[in-house]
Amino acid sequence: MVRKLNIKEPDLSVKIGKVIMKNPVMTASGTFGYGKEYSGFFDIDEIGAVVVKGINMAGSDGNKPPRIVEVTAGLVNSIGLQGPGVKKFIDEYMPFFDKYDVPVIVNIWGKDIDEYVQVASCLMKIPRVSALELNVSCPNVKSGGAAFGTDEKNLSKLIAKVRKVTDITLIVKLAPNVSRIADFARICESEGADAVSLINSYPAMVIDVDRRRPVLANKIGGLSGPAIHPIAVKLVWEAASAVKIPVIGIGGISSVKDALEFIIAGATAVAVGTANFTDPLISLSIIAGIKDYLIRHNMPSIKSLIGSLST
Amino acid sequence: MDIHVENAIVADHSKINRVYFLLTLTAPNCSIMAKPGQFVHVRIPRLDGAVLRRPFSIFDVVGDQIKIIYKPVGKGTDAMTRLIKGDSLSIMGPLGNGFPDPAEGRLPVIVAGGYGAAPLFFFASRSLKKGIAFLGGATSQDIILPDRFKKLGWKIKIATENGSMGTRGLVTLIFDEWLSKNGKKNEFECYVCGPDGLLKAMALRALKHGWKAWLSLDKHMGCGVGACLGCVQRIKLANDTEGWARVCKDGPVFEASQIIW
């Protein structure tokens, strides 16, 4: 059944800002811990990049439990950005990556612009940090959330300020719940961001009908998983059509087909999130699946697939 | 790589009474490493729309097989009841930290509510010392393993809320009776698994009297490996501070004095 093929080892490498990734598959922030948690399953150098859980300046306790609830084809979470704070992160979590080569992208957030700037300044001094991903779209905390991700002026100011203090690759993670995603992507590009990633989880709510109360202690959370994938594909396509900087497609990837949709829609890379919980080895099967797809379609490089959508 | 994702094969699947199921899985990697109190994170087949695995305590390990006892309580466990011999399912594990052995010279005392007896049976079966097991439940159907404990040479005491087996009342009632006569603080350690109410009741007793109680917590879990921070429990930390522990990774077994209720 195997067709005779010209391409044996297609080139899967992509570039996001200054970061060269050996393949386009990364992990979505918040679903892969700080890398270490999944290093027992496979060699994390096999994936394109690790995006670690969101880091702020002072550290954060997150929200009260219950923090997660499964819904049909998805998960609603309200973790609330629990994290150790940037100093502890640098001292206790970053050294783990010394024995790996995989690019490390640190997702950062703050209660105001100053905090983002402070965190970025601390992290840019750490050589092992390859890029920063500005979280302007967490649905679970008041700050670091809608204040930036859904307000064009605030977003523009934030990116400009962070851009000033750091020359490492800057990715902005966008919120899905805006009326014109293209406008937000364009702001990121014009303020000097190197890439945009989207989407973050979609604001959502689940009610316990017997108790007539919200299931999550935080009342609302963010929906992730296969349920949001078609929404994400549409937004990634719109964003990628609007800007020249790379777009990273995130949202409900649970198969190679899901990842390919993002890439064909214009994403240079993709990030796997909730599916890590279902199958910790899924990134590896997606990488293998993309390679297989390129071979079957006689494409020497992933670059010919990016944005290849005919409409 | 030290965490295994394994395709386990259903070797046997049966009901042990009107309510509970016993699932036997052939899982060579998991069975060789499993310690009492640990759990496996199971991807339930034919469960459409599920993104999460389901955690189950290990009830027993025999050769290359692990056994799980469960009760259908929702979508996931309902789908599990349809598993048949020969089915393949992905399991992750063993995960979490198990029960520690009691300190030298101390008697292990088990207090179980319902299928909380499952991981405690595994503990008892591997324990060098034979102790006493207090088994409680709503009805006789919830006392799932009395004969197995007996076979191990453990003493058992039973309480059911409707009085259909053993003493009528909560399991803490029969434990308290024993405690008032025998329970000297440095002579035993408690091992508890069951509903939150039981865990808390036992923790309060342990703190009041100054003996050790090891509690196995049950929380809705996401990743199972400490990454998602979905299953957190407030605990005491060093220097009079407090913080979140991940039940899947830092637990599921905690010493009673650590927990902030």
Side-chain angles (χ1 to χ4, degrees):
Chain A
M1 283 299 286
V2 179
R3 258 171 54 196
K4 188 136 194 204
L5 303 160
N6 304 326
I7 313 297
K8 284 198 179 101
E9 273 301 310
D11 177 13
L12 260 64
S13 69
V14 294
K15 204 171 161 208
I16 303 284
K18 294 174 190 162
V19 185
I20 295 166
M21 296 167 27
K22 65 200 249 187
N23 63 60
V25 180
M26 33 204 267
T27 61
S29 178
T31 65
F32 206 70
Y34 303 97
K36 193 178 174 185
E37 293 84 349
Y38 281 90
S39 63
F41 289 106
F42 65 95
D43 178 2
I44 59 171
D45 276 345
E46 292 296 311
I47 56 178
V50 169
V51 185
V52 299
K53 189 158 172 58
I55 297 294
N56 72 338
M57 196 63 203
S60 165
D61 229 12
N63 291 325
K64 289 206 169 91
R67 288 176 167 187
I68 54 171
V69 53
E70 190 185 50
V71 295
T72 304
L75 176 70
V76 182
N77 88 82
S78 65
I79 307 299
L81 294 173
Q82 180 186 330
V86 70
K87 292 214 162 63
K88 194 170 172 190
F89 170 72
I90 290 168
D91 293 343
E92 294 177 24
Y93 294 80
M94 276 310 294
F96 160 79
F97 289 106
D98 290 348
K99 53 182 183 287
Y100 294 97
D101 299 321
V102 66
V104 178
I105 300 173
V106 181
N107 181 284
I108 68 169
W109 65 281
K111 63 182 180 307
D112 50 29
I113 291 179
D114 284 349
E115 189 173 1
Y116 279 93
V117 168
Q118 284 175 340
V119 179
S121 316
C122 292
L123 287 167
M124 69 163 290
K125 294 176 203 139
I126 311 301
R128 200 57 189 84
V129 174
S130 306
L132 300 179
E133 181 182 57
L134 294 189
N135 182 357
V136 295
S137 45
C138 179
N140 291 319
V141 292
K142 287 190 191 85
S143 52
F148 299 105
T150 57
D151 183 301
E152 297 175 40
K153 274 186 195 148
N154 286 346
L155 181 65
S156 158
K157 247 189 263 172
L158 172 71
I159 300 169
K161 286 269 170 79
V162 177
R163 182 75 284 177
K164 249 185 218 164
V165 298
T166 173
D167 55 4
I168 70 170
T169 299
L170 199 58
I171 303 163
V172 182
K173 186 166 184 178
L174 296 174
N177 48 319
V178 295
S179 49
R180 285 190 305 273
I181 197 78
D183 294 351
F184 284 82
R186 278 189 208 105
I187 287 167
C188 298
E189 182 173 50
S190 65
E191 294 299 347
D194 297 291
V196 290
S197 57
L198 66 154
I199 57 176
N200 207 321
S201 57
Y202 203 98
M205 185 175 193
V206 182
I207 292 170
D208 178 336
V209 295
D210 289 323
R211 296 164 62 234
R212 296 198 286 275
R213 295 171 71 93
V215 171
L216 298 172
N218 188 52
K219 299 182 190 77
I220 63 158
L223 175 63
S224 63
I228 66 168
H229 181 255
I231 297 173
V233 170
K234 182 248 188 194
L235 293 169
V236 162
W237 174 61
E238 287 177 348
S241 309
V243 294
K244 291 194 176 67
I245 53 173
V247 172
I248 299 164
I250 315 173
I253 296 177
S254 63
S255 68
V256 65
K257 177 191 155 288
D258 298 336
L260 290 167
E261 281 190 65
F262 280 133
I263 296 167
I264 294 166
T268 299
V270 296
V272 179
T274 304
N276 288 308
F277 305 157
T278 326
D279 175 8
L281 302 171
I282 191 154
S283 294
L284 300 186
S285 19
I286 288 170
I287 294 163
I290 292 173
K291 192 190 269 184
D292 183 57
Y293 179 92
L294 295 176
I295 293 171
R296 280 191 287 120
H297 289 80
N298 230 347
M299 290 176 157
S301 161
I302 183 89
K303 287 164 196 90
S304 25
L305 188 63
I306 297 168
S308 58
L309 182 76
S310 330
T311 48
Chain B
M1 300 298 105
D2 55 1
I3 315 182
H4 288 277
V5 182
E6 188 170 6
N7 274 321
I9 308 293
V10 175
D12 193 37
H13 193 199
S14 56
K15 277 188 106 164
I16 58 170
N17 62 23
R18 290 207 304 273
V19 183
Y20 294 88
F21 286 75
L22 174 62
L23 179 65
T24 304
L25 300 170
T26 303
N29 283 320
C30 181
S31 54
I32 203 164
M33 293 187 295
K35 287 184 293 209
Q38 289 188 302
F39 67 93
V40 286
H41 218 19
V42 178
R43 188 170 178 185
I44 299 172
R46 301 183 288 273
L47 183 55
D48 289 343
V51 296
L52 297 182
R53 289 167 179 260
R54 303 291 192 272
F56 294 93
S57 293
I58 298 165
F59 152 62
D60 201 4
V61 173
V62 180
D64 63 356
Q65 296 182 332
I66 64 159
K67 292 168 191 271
I68 289 167
I69 286 184
Y70 71 95
K71 170 172 146 178
V73 290
K75 216 173 53 172
T77 37
D78 284 345
M80 242 170 117
T81 62
R82 295 191 286 275
L83 286 170
I84 55 166
K85 193 172 170 175
D87 276 347
S88 165
L89 64 164
S90 165
I91 65 168
M92 254 162 73
L95 299 174
N97 300 305
F99 295 109
D101 291 325
E104 183 86 29
R106 291 186 186 173
L107 183 78
V109 173
I110 281 172
V111 181
Y115 58 93
L120 293 167
F121 172 77
F122 189 23
F123 168 76
S125 73
R126 295 277 172 101
S127 171
L128 296 174
K129 255 177 271 173
K130 298 183 196 326
I132 178 162
F134 296 89
L135 309 177
T139 73
S140 60
Q141 296 293 306
D142 300 300
I143 308 299
I144 53 177
L145 304 156
D147 299 338
R148 300 246 193 174
F149 278 99
K150 263 188 217 161
K151 259 192 210 155
L152 294 174
W154 281 55
K155 264 193 222 167
I156 61 161
K157 303 248 182 215
I158 293 170
T160 52
E161 286 170 56
N162 70 353
S164 54
M165 193 189 273
T167 306
R168 180 192 293 266
L170 295 170
V171 67
T172 42
L173 180 79
I174 51 171
F175 172 79
D176 286 344
E177 268 175 33
W178 174 85
L179 184 68
S180 63
K181 290 178 204 147
N182 309 284
K184 294 209 184 82
K185 146 170 156 182
N186 291 318
E187 294 180 357
F188 71 98
E189 283 181 33
C190 247
Y191 296 82
V192 191
C193 186
D196 283 351
L198 174 64
L199 297 177
K200 191 174 175 182
M202 290 302 296
L204 294 176
R205 284 164 172 78
L207 292 182
K208 187 174 161 198
H209 300 291
W211 33 266
K212 274 208 158 75
W214 302 97
L215 315 177
S216 177
L217 271 59
D218 185 12
K219 295 259 174 195
H220 282 291
M221 282 181 192
C223 67
V225 294
C228 76
L229 310 180
C231 63
V232 292
Q233 168 66 46
R234 204 75 178 157
I235 62 159
K236 287 178 195 152
L237 300 170
N239 311 321
D240 271 340
T241 56
E242 58 178 70
W244 298 112
R246 301 161 298 179
V247 171
C248 66
K249 180 82 180 174
D250 306 315
V253 176
F254 294 89
E255 209 283 309
S257 61
Q258 288 179 279
I259 305 284
I260 297 171
W261 297 98

